Amino acid sequence: MTPPKASVFPRIEGLSAFTGAAAEADFAHVWHPFTQTSDWLGQEPLVLVEGDGARLKDETGRWFLDGNSSIWTNLHGHRHPRLDAALKRQVDRVAHTSFLGFSNPLASQLCAELAALWPAGTLERVFLSDNGSTAIEVALKMAAQFWQLSGEARRSRFVAFHGAYHGDTMGASALGGIPLFHDRFAAWQFPVQRVADFEALQKLSAQEIAAVVIEPLVQGANQMFVWPKGLLAKVRSWCDAQGVFLIADEVLTGFGRTGTLFACEQEGVVPDFVALAKGLTGGYLPLAATLTRQSIFNAFTGGPERTLYYGHSYCGNALGCAVALENLAIFREEKVLSRLQSKLIPAFHSALERHLAPLPEVYGIRKCGLMAGVEVRMPDGRPFDTALRMGSRICVAARAFGLLTRPIRDTIVLMPPFCVSETDLEEMAGAVAAAIRVCAAEKLSAIEEPVPSAGAGNG
Ligand SMILES: *Cc1c(COP(=O)(O)O)cnc(C)c1O
């Protein structure tokens, strides 16, 4: 699986006739997210054309397991009959209409159903937007404006955690605590009070704090860092005692990823705002929701100065809402959570331990529900030379064993769709183990070879 060397930049010799045309256009015109351009231009691209359940096909006809659920979004598999049908039904009526002062029946039903997933009388108001970053942005604006409207404008500061990731728009990334991604833009971002843990949070004086923002149970982009048990509940109690809002970013953890519908449930926590996106449409369409309390909504009623001047052209998109409603129906009707809890999560954790824990290069396996980060280091426990790009190298090598995924530095992310079988889970863990063996054997000469790219940065 040595990638071909770049010849005449940016073209690559030896591309199959099949991938040729798509790759030409891609190399000429596309700018890929979270991807180092020189890596992308330096190897044969992977062009995905079709999906079926937990598998994806590339343009040359090879099938792969979708090992990171198409960047953490897919839940029930690709081309799910019910989700496909819901989308097709809606497209025959209307694709999109304005949500600024107008409504549509799917959006209002979706908001009602999302609110009903939380304890009665808690998160009753739902703001629909486009993606995880916008779901966070609107929570920040709602919280800041709420305190202004309530005569407590000094409550203007947001608290976020080290290692946090809340999205890439300027506002959401101001909360981010991953230096490689976020430090460069510090000069343009609003100041955030950053804390490492609950002890540090407790030491803050709360009078000027608007809200604490947290990824409940696990910080996905922070190489799958799992919070100590009970931390979320302690943060909630502190916020309650101080009169500070709690914003839960369930963009990744929502919709079953951690084994319960929402991660917050596992610690009996109801936040004041919750951001949902990735799995909301089962991985079909960009749609997000920010849920909050009626009491917060009430502060915005009155004259024009109380209006929330925030929105996006595609808020309330009918296609997205149609698929999201069907996604929720699948959860209700197909026993998704009980299958996750009783079968898939135990089988996943067991496969990881059996296939990967014994390898000398596996430094740690961080697991939370149907998500895991497998960190590789040298057998003596020191990190690999970053120039080796071991994480990327292993993910590229795993393709030969039928698995697609993407690392975060030297942590291999595994996050299959919920439609995988136990055999698929064995295959997935086995593919990573095989790829680690290949790369460990090659590592001495590896630095001379062209740099692979399964993605250098974020999962
Ligand atoms: C992916 C992610 C986001 C950002 O969502 P986008 O849809 O990519 O904007 C925010 N928070 C968390 C925890 C995420 O994993």
Side-chain angles (χ1 to χ4, degrees), residues 92 146 174 207 259 278 290 355 373 395:
D92 281 339
F146 173 87
Q207 290 86 31
K278 290 191 169 97
T290 305
H355 289 271
C395 290

mmCIF file of all heavy atoms in Angstrom, residues 92 146 174 207 259 278 290 355 373 395:
data_model
loop_
_atom_site.group_PDB
_atom_site.id
_atom_site.type_symbol
_atom_site.label_atom_id
_atom_site.label_comp_id
_atom_site.label_asym_id
_atom_site.label_seq_id
_atom_site.Cartn_x
_atom_site.Cartn_y
_atom_site.Cartn_z
ATOM 1 N N ASP A 92 -40.763 15.015 -3.210
ATOM 2 C CA ASP A 92 -41.916 15.126 -4.104
ATOM 3 C C ASP A 92 -42.915 16.189 -3.657
ATOM 4 O O ASP A 92 -43.873 16.476 -4.373
ATOM 5 C CB ASP A 92 -42.627 13.769 -4.226
ATOM 6 C CG ASP A 92 -41.893 12.848 -5.191
ATOM 7 O OD1 ASP A 92 -41.118 13.365 -6.029
ATOM 8 O OD2 ASP A 92 -42.075 11.617 -5.100
ATOM 9 N N PHE A 146 -29.419 36.482 26.634
ATOM 10 C CA PHE A 146 -30.316 36.262 27.779
ATOM 11 C C PHE A 146 -29.856 37.080 28.979
ATOM 12 O O PHE A 146 -30.650 37.759 29.627
ATOM 13 C CB PHE A 146 -30.382 34.776 28.165
ATOM 14 C CG PHE A 146 -31.155 34.558 29.447
ATOM 15 C CD1 PHE A 146 -32.538 34.394 29.419
ATOM 16 C CD2 PHE A 146 -30.513 34.562 30.683
ATOM 17 C CE1 PHE A 146 -33.261 34.222 30.606
ATOM 18 C CE2 PHE A 146 -31.229 34.391 31.873
ATOM 19 C CZ PHE A 146 -32.607 34.229 31.836
ATOM 20 N N ALA A 174 -13.616 29.584 19.094
ATOM 21 C CA ALA A 174 -13.067 30.318 20.241
ATOM 22 C C ALA A 174 -13.105 29.447 21.493
ATOM 23 O O ALA A 174 -12.268 29.567 22.380
ATOM 24 C CB ALA A 174 -13.855 31.608 20.472
ATOM 25 N N GLN A 207 -19.326 35.219 39.101
ATOM 26 C CA GLN A 207 -20.230 36.358 38.834
ATOM 27 C C GLN A 207 -20.257 36.818 37.380
ATOM 28 O O GLN A 207 -21.232 37.378 36.930
ATOM 29 C CB GLN A 207 -19.883 37.581 39.705
ATOM 30 C CG GLN A 207 -20.193 37.423 41.178
ATOM 31 C CD GLN A 207 -19.032 36.756 41.903
ATOM 32 O OE1 GLN A 207 -17.889 36.918 41.515
ATOM 33 N NE2 GLN A 207 -19.342 35.974 42.933
ATOM 34 N N GLY A 259 -24.322 4.795 23.991
ATOM 35 C CA GLY A 259 -25.113 3.677 24.507
ATOM 36 C C GLY A 259 -26.481 4.111 25.021
ATOM 37 O O GLY A 259 -27.394 3.302 25.106
ATOM 38 N N LYS A 278 -24.547 16.034 14.063
ATOM 39 C CA LYS A 278 -24.072 14.849 13.323
ATOM 40 C C LYS A 278 -25.116 13.733 13.078
ATOM 41 O O LYS A 278 -25.504 13.492 11.955
ATOM 42 C CB LYS A 278 -22.843 14.269 14.011
ATOM 43 C CG LYS A 278 -21.629 15.190 13.867
ATOM 44 C CD LYS A 278 -20.359 14.519 14.310
ATOM 45 C CE LYS A 278 -19.137 15.309 13.925
ATOM 46 N NZ LYS A 278 -18.600 16.169 14.974
ATOM 47 N N THR A 290 -30.645 23.196 18.481
ATOM 48 C CA THR A 290 -30.231 23.688 19.798
ATOM 49 C C THR A 290 -31.482 23.745 20.654
ATOM 50 O O THR A 290 -32.431 24.446 20.313
ATOM 51 C CB THR A 290 -29.590 25.085 19.673
ATOM 52 O OG1 THR A 290 -28.523 25.004 18.726
ATOM 53 C CG2 THR A 290 -29.063 25.571 21.014
ATOM 54 N N HIS A 355 -8.000 -8.022 19.864
ATOM 55 C CA HIS A 355 -7.149 -7.840 18.680
ATOM 56 C C HIS A 355 -6.029 -6.834 18.901
ATOM 57 O O HIS A 355 -4.980 -6.932 18.300
ATOM 58 C CB HIS A 355 -7.984 -7.381 17.481
ATOM 59 C CG HIS A 355 -8.879 -8.430 16.914
ATOM 60 N ND1 HIS A 355 -8.473 -9.293 15.928
ATOM 61 C CD2 HIS A 355 -10.163 -8.767 17.209
ATOM 62 C CE1 HIS A 355 -9.474 -10.116 15.627
ATOM 63 N NE2 HIS A 355 -10.504 -9.815 16.387
ATOM 64 N N GLY A 373 -10.782 5.213 20.596
ATOM 65 C CA GLY A 373 -9.537 5.773 20.085
ATOM 66 C C GLY A 373 -8.417 4.821 20.479
ATOM 67 O O GLY A 373 -8.254 4.524 21.658
ATOM 68 N N CYS A 395 -3.821 4.180 9.038
ATOM 69 C CA CYS A 395 -5.148 4.256 8.401
ATOM 70 C C CYS A 395 -5.070 3.990 6.906
ATOM 71 O O CYS A 395 -5.968 3.367 6.336
ATOM 72 C CB CYS A 395 -5.807 5.601 8.692
ATOM 73 S SG CYS A 395 -6.284 5.745 10.432
#
